[in-house]
Amino acid sequence: MKISELKLHSIAIADPPLRSSYGLHAPWALRTIVELETDDGIRGVSETYGGEEPRAALEAIRNRLMGMDPFLLTGLLRDMSRDADALTEGNTSVPGGRSQTWLVPGENPLDQTTRTFAAVEIACLDIIGKAAGRPVCDILGGRVRDRVPFSAYLFYKHAGGGGNSDYPDEYGEVLTPDAVVRECRQMVRQYGFREIKVKGGVLEPAIEIESIRTLRSEFGPEMPLRIDPNCAWSSDTSVHVAESLREELSGGGYLEDPCPGLDGMAEVRRRLLDCDIQTPLASNVAVTCLADVPRARQLDAVQIVLSDPHYWGGLRQVQLLSHLCSVLGMGLSMHSNSHLGVSLMAMAHVAAASPNLTFACDTHYPWQTERDEIVAGGRIQFENGCVPIPDRPGLGVELDYDQLARGRERYEKIAFRKRDDEAEMRKHVDPGWKRILPRW
Ligand code: GKR
Ligand code: MG
């Protein structure tokens, strides 16, 4: 079996005006849908970051992929990593290095290789699954769970549903603690989530503390809570928030990337332990590759790592991470960015085959709509907050080519090509807005 065709589809999907410490989401999110076809007619699919750069990086390995046996992924990763090492070694041009302190996921040139490899790997695993007649999680060594739990991912947001303002605004404006509770009730009612994440770093910490407290009194301790301000707080503020939410973030909750850098997180952890506050710290900003994990452990800066197949280098790298975390006594959760059903299924398959997944995974899926879904049969259905793993071969999804064509048309029609939340913030909310870390 040999790869005989690579097709790349750049699409745009509507995205509501969600806020984070990076700024504001644009009305559109961009994705690239990757299709690989083999000489015996099997098609594998994956979904990755959108815009020109991710596409160009995939185009750049087109020749390497043509004629490749889709089983032989290790050699591809080795070859691509060699190039990556050359790019990364001594490279000081990227602010924050490999971290996501300054650059949103998908924009850091230093993880371009793992991102590009992941897109190929996932499509190849889909092919392998289809060739073997088995779901991808079984190709990865077998599932340890049939249903993968996801978390409600709450955002402060402005009014609007995204796109050309012609998409429904399901959740309305959410800029107060009461509105966050309303958003959560709605999301939980629809998807059945049993864990809750709040994207913080947007409003004064006192308001965000109040939001978490209000959620706790509404949903009770059986719904663990996490808050993620994406480094918006100083060490002092991080400690203050953790002290204030000592009870609310306990029992399966966590504090995610409260302040920038591993040293900052280590300081916060020491100070919390001194006050006998056990709230674990999680990260997808300061820990973005396997090489970061031992240092994070050594400093006790991070107790929970957020995996993400899209930039960690695919499904098998996430399994390695799961194992490494278990060896080092660390927990594992999963990070997400705006995505459709192909990504959701890739995330679900690897989560099903990762024993040490200790928390429900993040997903932005509720923020996207049926109208933009490119998976045949429409949106993936959640059951009690979980994605059930289908018994169908591969990822278990096929593309709806009409929907895909609509996604391409939207992409062609807009000028937007690169996520820049700071620019969106200046355009729509505050012309003088700058990302300041720490802001509080
Ligand atoms: O979607 O605005 C967003 C998030 O802030 C996203 O970009 C983050 O990468 O979800 C992410 C996180 O957990 O840090
Ligand atoms: Mg995060």
Side-chain angles (χ1 to χ4, degrees), residues 28 30 45 63 100 129 141 160 172 198 243 258 281 292 402:
W28 302 103
L30 307 177
V45 63
N63 289 345
Q100 294 169 359
V198 175
E243 275 175 342
L281 303 184
D292 291 335
D402 292 334

Side-chain angles (χ1 to χ4, degrees), residues 153 197 199 228 230 256-257 283-285 306 335 362:
Y153 198 163
K197 168 165 174 166
K199 175 58 60 177
D228 174 15
N230 286 114
E256 185 175 322
D257 288 307
S283 182
N284 62 275
V285 170
L306 276 83
H335 162 269
D362 292 352

